[in-house]
Amino acid sequence: MNFQTKLLWIIFLCLSNFSWAAFAQNVDLKNNWSYREEKTQKWFPATVPGEIHTDLLNNKLIPDPFYRDNEKKLLWIERKNWEYKTTFKATAAMLKKKNTELVFDGLDTYASVYLNNQLVLKADNMFRQWRVDVKKVLKSGDNNLVIVFQSAQNVVDSLAKKDLPFKIPDNPRAYVRKAQYHFGWDWGPKFTTCGIWKTPRLEAYDEKTPEKPYVLNRKIELVQEPDSLGRSFYFKIDGKPVYMKGANYIPSDAFLSRVTKKEYEKVILSAKDANMNMLRVWGGGIYEEDYFYDLCDKYGINVWQDFMFAGTMVPGDKAFFDNVKEEVQYQVKRLRHHPSIVLWCGNNESDEAFKNWGWMRSMKLSKQDSTRLWHDYVRLFHDSIPKWVKEVDDKRPYLSSSPLHHWSKQKSITEGDSHYWGLWWGLEDIEATQKKTGRFVSEYGMLSMPNYSSTEKLTLPEDRHLYSDVINAHQKSNKGFIKLNSYLNRYFIDSTKIKKMNVEDYTYLTQCLQYYTIKNTVGIHRSKAPYNMGTLVWQLNDCWPVASWSITDYDNRQPKAAWYAIREAYRDDKTPEIDLTRPIDLKLEDPKISWQIKGNKVFLKAQKQAKYVYISIKGYSGKWSDNYIELAAGEEKIISFEGKIVNPEIKVFSLYEVLKRY
């Protein structure tokens, strides 16, 4: 094709698209919604996009779900069915179009859609786009749209019961294509919500717009080759090996409609500013909004994208597989133009879970059922999903599961990616990382309390003691405080003193522990390159205020101590520092820290060496230029905070002072 012919063809395509755009009629259906509990009388105003919990909250019918122990008081919501309705007008121009479709990009999850009293759609997948031809149902003037959401918890319980005596480990949530974290996690609340979580629309057109050509302007490879030490695992971008420094990303809110563009910007900038070049979108959440990936494209952050399966086996019936195929191909086609995505991964931890989590014993699975479960697993993650992905994106690598080997197995150190939970779950010493660094460590971490300013917001004064019911309600990890105190006892303070601590000091020490752990673990990982070619801390962010492995706080995405550690450890202009001297073994003296504030700067000086110097301002949840710093004797450092605060109430902590109190 010569240049002139090419030019004419491009002009024709542009005019075709312009013509379609000029005459298409697209109407967002986000106004005038109301909701009610099914079969009750009274309707209340609803917000779209939204979910039932946020609508109940906006109407002051429930208390703040995150406050104190309100979570357990709101479990009734997930057992009800909920109705949403609106009225919209169809213009004469829309009715003349050859095609008129209702389009839903996000229905969560079991939804029956009625237009003008006719059932036009039954949806059962939160991750799919649903399109339905409504030309024959649509009428001039007012059109009534009603959506009835069935309780996802009731449905999955029913499906699991119907399957008995066959069992799918480890939770009935395995039956539903819905964000798995909605059913509760070891860092998240159980709000099994429902609702219209993305804006629906009406599309009227004569001809469909052509799909834009799929172009990926970089070459992405995942290299897994046998070598003298096992099997490599690293990414090559445009022919160059890249050491990945990053974190695991979970949904940024328990209620997805609250994650605005501004919130996405805060979260992604927290990764960029910490010198990260990779985020792993974890498989128990959602396929994120395009804006999330736009920001990753912009800031040079590579994305490891899990499909939305986490820690369960799967149903093997045709309907489930067909549903997943539609989901996978829709999401890959939606996201494939983002250059930041470097990997499609089948699931989070399902392979290693089946082989190592003791399901056969704990769930009394028969050999026949175990064989069936594994067969269905292989059919989906080894055979079907890679085939479906390749049909729409043959330019990126696919990995069946992360990881393939449990952290207790030797192969987790020598081949594949590794979720190294000997640290924390295995209660191993932090120093063990020196001999147990895998080829690509895609999960590891240390739990800490949320920032104390968050604890103050979610508690009453009488709640602020270890281990009050409210404090426990915001700590979801199994035996979490026992494990945390085991590490504090080894690295910071004798366990007999811990129970005497106030929550603020306890919070400080847990964050010092997380800082110490992450600083040294990253340093060890990076020191082993090129044997090790990636380190992704668990986790970047939280979805509510909670004790977790996150390095940032839910409230305003404020850094926790470990964020400052990782920012330093991920620098490329210097070798990360490794200092495995246990703080409990330090000979600390009173540093006699003095400080003064000028504008938004705090000037700090210590007469003796000071470790883990932490500054807080009452009521402030913004970002400091630095924190949890070390001061040498006689050294002065200046730390700034964002914005202006009138008469700030400042507290300055150091390790010596906190330990001395006990």
Side-chain angles (χ1 to χ4, degrees):
M1 192 185 291
N2 62 34
F3 173 76
Q4 190 173 20
T5 308
K6 276 185 180 176
L7 185 61
L8 287 170
W9 180 243
I10 290 167
I11 292 169
F12 169 75
L13 282 176
C14 290
L15 288 173
S16 298
N17 285 343
F18 172 77
S19 173
W20 183 89
F23 295 105
Q25 302 270 324
N26 287 1
V27 179
D28 282 347
L29 304 176
K30 62 181 179 181
N31 298 321
N32 306 316
W33 285 90
S34 54
Y35 80 94
R36 69 178 179 183
E37 183 185 331
E38 188 186 34
K39 297 178 181 175
T40 59
Q41 295 302 310
K42 189 171 181 182
W43 292 86
F44 298 90
T47 302
V48 171
E51 45 270 298
I52 187 57
H53 286 77
T54 52
D55 284 328
L56 288 164
L57 183 62
N58 292 340
N59 283 280
K60 298 182 170 55
L61 297 173
I62 59 170
D64 180 353
F66 293 176
Y67 186 63
R68 301 192 77 219
D69 56 352
N70 285 341
E71 175 198 0
K72 67 183 180 185
K73 299 171 185 174
L74 300 177
L75 291 174
W76 62 271
I77 298 168
E78 71 183 33
R79 293 293 182 179
K80 305 288 187 181
N81 297 338
W82 300 92
E83 290 184 61
Y84 282 74
K85 71 174 183 179
T86 190
T87 301
F88 64 90
K89 290 187 183 299
T91 64
M94 294 175 76
L95 293 170
K96 287 177 184 175
K97 296 295 175 189
K98 291 179 184 175
N99 304 283
T100 312
E101 295 177 334
L102 266 177
V103 184
F104 298 94
D105 290 329
L107 290 175
D108 180 10
T109 292
Y110 292 106
S112 299
V113 180
Y114 299 85
L115 180 61
N116 297 327
N117 298 317
Q118 287 193 40
L119 177 65
V120 295
L121 172 67
K122 285 185 79 73
D124 62 355
N125 188 326
M126 177 179 174
F127 306 123
R128 280 176 60 180
Q129 182 187 77
W130 298 92
R131 285 181 171 270
V132 57
D133 181 1
V134 293
K135 183 166 179 61
K136 292 180 180 177
V137 186
L138 207 63
K139 63 184 183 180
S140 180
D142 286 348
N143 289 263
N144 299 314
L145 182 61
V146 175
I147 305 176
V148 181
F149 290 96
Q150 276 185 284
S151 157
Q153 189 64 63
N154 289 346
V155 172
V156 299
D157 287 348
S158 173
L159 290 170
K161 190 174 180 181
K162 193 186 296 183
D163 248 3
L164 290 173
F166 178 69
K167 300 186 189 84
I168 297 179
D170 70 332
N171 190 296
R173 64 182 169 82
Y175 288 90
V176 62
R177 299 309 302 137
K178 174 177 173 62
Q180 299 287 278
Y181 84 111
H182 282 170
F183 294 86
W185 220 263
D186 59 3
W187 37 256
K190 189 178 190 307
F191 293 124
T192 311
T193 193
C194 68
I196 307 164
W197 72 289
K198 294 188 178 184
T199 303
R201 63 189 177 278
L202 195 65
E203 290 186 2
Y205 58 91
D206 289 323
E207 301 293 335
K208 254 197 173 5
T209 184
E211 280 187 11
K212 58 183 178 183
Y214 168 41
V215 179
L216 184 64
N217 290 321
R218 61 174 184 162
K219 185 180 181 184
I220 301 163
E221 299 168 84
L222 175 60
V223 182
Q224 298 187 82
E225 295 174 343
D227 58 25
S228 62
L229 299 168
R231 190 178 178 89
S232 66
F233 189 107
Y234 66 92
F235 290 90
K236 276 170 80 171
I237 311 294
D238 291 331
K240 295 180 180 177
V242 178
Y243 189 96
M244 296 300 181
K245 308 167 298 170
N248 288 265
Y249 175 91
I250 66 169
S252 285
D253 206 293
F255 305 121
L256 292 164
S257 67
R258 303 208 291 207
V259 188
T260 61
K261 285 189 172 183
K262 188 175 180 182
E263 286 302 302
Y264 277 124
E265 287 161 7
K266 288 178 190 174
V267 175
I268 301 302
L269 279 171
S270 76
K272 176 186 177 288
D273 292 346
N275 300 308
M276 294 182 185
N277 66 1
M278 177 170 268
L279 290 176
R280 173 177 175 247
V281 178
W282 169 77
I286 61 167
Y287 307 93
E288 283 295 335
E289 297 284 345
D290 267 288
Y291 193 63
F292 171 94
Y293 303 95
D294 289 341
L295 292 169
C296 292
D297 295 342
K298 177 180 177 181
Y299 292 122
I301 295 174
N302 300 289
V303 174
W304 168 318
Q305 179 67 52
D306 281 0
F307 289 105
M308 293 301 120
F309 298 88
T312 63
M313 302 308 280
V314 293
D317 59 279
K318 183 178 183 299
F320 186 85
F321 271 58
D322 289 347
N323 200 354
V324 172
K325 180 180 180 180
E326 292 295 326
E327 167 192 326
V328 165
Q329 294 201 322
Y330 165 67
Q331 292 293 350
V332 171
K333 287 176 78 171
R334 178 176 76 91
L335 298 174
R336 65 189 178 183
H337 67 279
H338 289 285
S340 54
I341 297 175
V342 297
L343 180 68
W344 303 113
C345 179
N347 67 71
N348 170 75
E349 296 187 346
S350 296
D351 190 303
E352 66 136 335
F354 183 78
K355 295 169 182 171
N356 296 282
W357 287 8
W359 284 338
M360 284 60 172
R361 185 178 62 256
S362 65
M363 302 187 76
K364 298 182 172 63
L365 297 176
S366 69
K367 187 174 181 181
Q368 182 180 357
D369 285 352
S370 295
T371 302
R372 174 180 157 187
L373 283 165
W374 183 246
H375 175 69
D376 290 340
Y377 174 89
V378 170
R379 277 201 305 127
L380 186 61
F381 295 107
H382 290 253
D383 302 334
S384 300
I385 291 181
K387 176 174 167 283
W388 299 334
V389 170
K390 197 169 185 180
E391 287 172 3
V392 289
D393 180 11
D394 61 356
K395 297 178 171 63
R396 287 182 177 86
Y398 170 82
L399 186 68
S400 65
S401 182
S402 175
L404 284 181
H405 305 295
H406 188 260
W407 59 263
S408 63
K409 308 297 181 184
Q410 179 59 28
K411 280 189 174 181
S412 74
I413 306 303
T414 59
E415 61 179 58
D417 71 311
S418 168
H419 292 191
Y420 193 68
W421 288 111
L423 185 63
W424 182 258
W425 289 111
L427 288 174
E428 291 181 353
D429 287 346
I430 295 159
E431 295 88 341
T433 309
Q434 293 172 297
K435 293 183 179 179
K436 295 185 177 180
T437 293
R439 311 306 294 263
F440 191 109
V441 190
S442 47
E443 280 192 24
Y444 64 94
M446 177 59 70
L447 186 138
S448 75
M449 293 286 282
N451 289 339
Y452 188 65
S453 58
S454 278
T455 299
E456 286 184 308
K457 289 179 182 178
L458 64 89
T459 57
L460 292 172
E462 59 261 35
D463 304 323
R464 293 171 202 151
H465 63 86
L466 301 176
Y467 306 91
S468 72
D469 289 345
V470 172
I471 294 294
N472 277 324
H474 291 261
Q475 202 294 99
K476 296 290 188 178
S477 178
N478 183 35
K479 298 181 180 176
F481 283 126
I482 293 172
K483 290 186 175 72
L484 192 51
N485 294 347
S486 171
Y487 280 103
L488 286 175
N489 177 59
R490 278 176 271 169
Y491 287 88
F492 280 88
I493 188 171
D494 187 273
S495 59
T496 58
K497 299 178 180 179
I498 292 174
K499 60 187 177 186
K500 302 174 186 175
M501 299 185 77
N502 65 50
V503 175
E504 187 170 20
D505 286 345
Y506 184 80
T507 296
Y508 166 82
L509 275 193
T510 67
Q511 292 213 13
C512 290
L513 170 66
Q514 193 184 31
Y515 183 110
Y516 174 91
T517 306
I518 299 305
K519 168 190 169 179
N520 286 304
T521 305
V522 172
I524 292 165
H525 288 170
R526 293 192 69 190
S527 74
K528 295 186 181 296
Y531 178 85
N532 167 270
M533 285 297 286
T535 173
L536 308 180
V537 70
W538 183 270
Q539 64 217 66
L540 176 66
N541 58 320
D542 272 327
C543 68
W544 77 313
V546 65
S548 80
W549 299 264
S550 179
I551 61 169
T552 60
D553 198 83
Y554 172 78
D555 185 22
N556 200 30
R557 315 299 167 186
Q558 185 185 30
K560 289 163 70 173
W563 183 89
Y564 297 100
I566 221 164
R567 180 181 63 175
E568 186 70 13
Y570 278 169
R571 285 172 59 175
D572 280 330
D573 60 341
K574 59 178 287 190
T575 302
E577 182 185 350
I578 302 169
D579 181 3
L580 290 167
T581 306
R582 296 190 178 195
I584 200 170
D585 295 329
L586 294 171
K587 305 300 181 190
L588 299 171
E589 297 180 80
D590 185 353
K592 293 186 167 59
I593 299 170
S594 58
W595 58 269
Q596 58 177 317
I597 185 166
K598 296 178 182 177
N600 70 333
K601 291 183 172 62
V602 181
F603 295 75
L604 295 156
K605 194 169 186 177
Q607 292 182 27
K608 303 275 187 178
Q609 184 191 36
K611 304 284 281 186
Y612 297 105
V613 178
Y614 165 65
I615 314 173
S616 70
I617 296 177
K618 187 174 178 60
Y620 176 65
S621 61
K623 192 171 173 183
W624 293 84
S625 61
D626 206 352
N627 222 333
Y628 292 87
I629 61 172
E630 187 167 336
L631 285 172
E635 179 186 17
E636 183 179 74
K637 280 191 177 176
I638 303 169
I639 298 177
S640 60
F641 56 88
E642 297 171 335
K644 293 181 180 179
I645 300 174
V646 179
N647 300 321
E649 291 182 44
I650 288 185
K651 282 187 178 179
V652 178
F653 291 75
S654 76
L655 186 58
Y656 170 85
E657 290 158 320
V658 170
L659 294 179
K660 190 173 186 296
R661 283 200 273 273
Y662 304 96

